[in-house]
Every structure is written in structure tokens, then in C-alpha cells.
Amino acid sequence: MKENLIHPAAIVHPGARLGAGVAIGAYSIIGEHVEIGDDTQIGPHVVINGHTRIGCDNRIFQFCSLGDEPQDKKYNGEPTGLEIGDRNTIREFCTFNLGTIHGAGITRLGNDNFMMAYVHLAHDCQVGNFTTFVNNASLAGHVQVGDYAGLGGFTAVHQFVRIGAYSFTALGTILTQDLPPYVLAAGNTAKPNGLNLRELKRRGFSEEVIHALKHAYKLVYRSGLSLREAEALIKPLTLVAPEVQNFLDFLSVRGRGIIR
């Protein structure tokens, strides 16, 4: 059994549950209902409160605030939660809030994510796996982010927006509508800028699949068709490249509408 390394100046509530090999730095505060998995490292001056469950092998840097009350005037102290998976890097000054009973009841961050400094995850956000959020990227409440998505520095996302897998935003992007999978976005407010080809190639997407995705993208953004008309023409492409189905499924959920 690995020993825990808790600095004498840290304050850990007796009710908190710590795995093996957990390290907690000076002046960090761990609340009563917090659970921390094996080999997670927590730097100095970190505050972790609420019903927060953190998985294994995470690195949480100094001055983060995790699991505190949501910035929602309707919140009235309900026992909502924050879940953080495994192998995440959470850099300085990140703020991840609890969920609310008006949403999912829990804010989630999956596995293998890289959250750079000053990232904010508001209440009820659901973030997948292998994402990268660059400094000062901020999500308002109820935002959903798919796997392998990337948010550029100072990206701001409106509440209830969905961000598809393998998508990417440029520096200072303001997203007020949904960003489909595989698509690059930039601007205030965000406009589509083609496919995230660098990431698709890096992740091993074949030329055939990329060609099909390019065709689907053009039908939505360059053909002058309505979204419903474009969807009908995209459907046959799913037989050639199943990855196109993810794009089509995303479009079929109307939500706040997609960036156009």
C-alpha cells in the first residue's frame, strides 16, 4: 500500500476518503464529502469542496477551486456533485463548480484531459475525454463537450451549447451556438472555418473518411441548402464512412442551432 504524502499545513477533513499514494500540498483544504483516487497529486493552496469525486493519477496544480457552489442564483445548498475522471492535468487557478438540481445534478470531466490555467467549468457541464482547454477557456452552465475537442485561449461558450468531438476553436472564439464534430471555429461570434484536419490526421482518420467528411461539411456550409436538405444528402455518406454518422447525429439535435 502506497503512503499518502500530506503536508502538515494542509487541512483534510476526517470524513474525506483518500486512495493510496495521494499527495496534498501545503495550505490545501479537502472537504468532508471529497473522494480522491490513487496517485492523484494536489498542489499547494488548492480548495476541494462539496460532493466531489476525483479519480486516479490526476495532477491538480496550485490555487484551483474544485467542487464549490455553482454560480447560479437558484442554487440553495442541494447536495449536487462534481466528478473528475482519471489522468487529468488541471493547471493553476481552474474553477470547476458543482452541478444543480435544475440540470444534470453533477458536473463531469472525463479522462485524460488537459485543462490549462484559469479554465472554468460551470455547473452541469459534461466534458468528455482527451480534450484540451487552453488558458482562460470558459464554459457557462450545461455545456457539453465531446472527446478530443480543443478550445483555444479565451474561448467563451454560452450556456446549453454543444461542442462536438474533434472540433476546435481559435483564440478568443465566442460560441453562442452548437459547434458540430470535426469543425474549426473562430470569431466573435463564431463562424465555421473548415474541418479540423490536423487533428483528424493525427488521430488516424483515413483519407477516405476525411474526403467523406469534407463532402458533408460542404453540403452544410457551402451548398446553399437548408440544414434539412443537407442532412438528406449526407445520409448516404454514412455507408462509406461511419464517422459521418456522428456528424449527422449531431445535426439532428436542433438545440440552440449550429454555427453557420
Side-chain angles (χ1 to χ4, degrees):
M1 190 93 172
K2 293 181 182 176
E3 235 182 281
N4 291 334
L5 301 174
I6 301 174
H7 194 282
I11 299 173
V12 180
H13 193 284
R17 292 187 290 173
L18 307 183
V22 172
I24 300 175
Y27 308 108
S28 287
I29 301 173
I30 310 299
E32 177 180 6
H33 304 293
V34 173
E35 179 180 340
I36 301 173
D38 297 349
D39 298 310
T40 286
Q41 301 175 35
I42 298 168
H45 297 279
V46 174
V47 178
I48 307 178
N49 277 323
H51 289 79
T52 296
R53 186 167 66 204
I54 299 173
C56 301
D57 295 300
N58 294 285
R59 297 178 68 210
I60 300 170
F61 286 70
Q62 55 268 25
F63 302 108
C64 290
S65 174
L66 308 178
D68 232 312
E69 293 186 5
Q71 297 174 127
D72 185 331
K73 291 182 178 180
K74 300 185 294 299
Y75 182 74
N76 196 30
E78 298 88 356
T80 53
L82 167 68
E83 278 188 7
I84 296 172
D86 302 329
R87 299 175 303 279
N88 296 290
T89 298
I90 301 171
R91 293 302 304 250
E92 299 83 354
F93 295 99
C94 287
T95 54
F96 300 172
N97 295 159
L98 298 174
T100 68
I101 60 171
H102 308 287
I106 195 158
T107 304
R108 286 191 180 91
L109 177 70
N111 304 319
D112 301 289
N113 298 286
F114 189 11
M115 305 281 107
M116 297 188 194
Y118 293 94
V119 165
H120 177 64
L121 303 186
H123 59 87
D124 304 293
C125 287
Q126 310 291 311
V127 179
N129 307 309
F130 298 100
T131 68
T132 299
F133 288 25
V134 180
N135 299 342
N136 290 281
S138 297
L139 307 185
H142 311 278
V143 170
Q144 299 176 32
V145 182
D147 296 347
Y148 294 100
L151 300 187
F154 294 93
T155 292
V157 184
H158 193 283
Q159 62 183 352
F160 293 102
V161 161
R162 297 177 301 136
I163 297 173
Y166 299 95
S167 60
F168 189 83
T169 65
L171 172 70
T173 298
I174 308 297
L175 271 176
T176 61
Q177 291 182 293
D178 296 345
L179 173 60
Y182 316 116
V183 174
L184 287 170
N188 179 10
T189 55
K191 299 296 181 187
N193 280 264
L195 294 179
N196 188 12
L197 294 176
R198 179 176 295 179
E199 184 68 13
L200 298 184
K201 291 174 182 176
R202 182 185 296 137
R203 299 299 171 188
F205 283 60
S206 69
E207 287 300 323
E208 183 181 39
V209 168
I210 290 173
H211 179 76
L213 289 171
K214 283 181 177 178
H215 190 183
Y217 177 90
K218 288 177 181 177
L219 287 170
V220 171
Y221 290 109
R222 306 249 176 102
S223 66
L225 298 170
S226 71
L227 190 55
R228 200 171 295 277
E229 291 168 335
E231 286 173 351
L233 295 176
I234 290 170
K235 183 65 177 174
L237 296 174
T238 63
L239 301 176
V240 178
E243 291 80 359
V244 177
Q245 188 66 52
N246 297 328
F247 187 72
L248 190 59
D249 289 344
F250 190 96
L251 299 180
S252 68
V253 178
R254 297 306 183 214
R256 292 185 55 82
I258 63 168
I259 62 170
R260 294 295 291 266

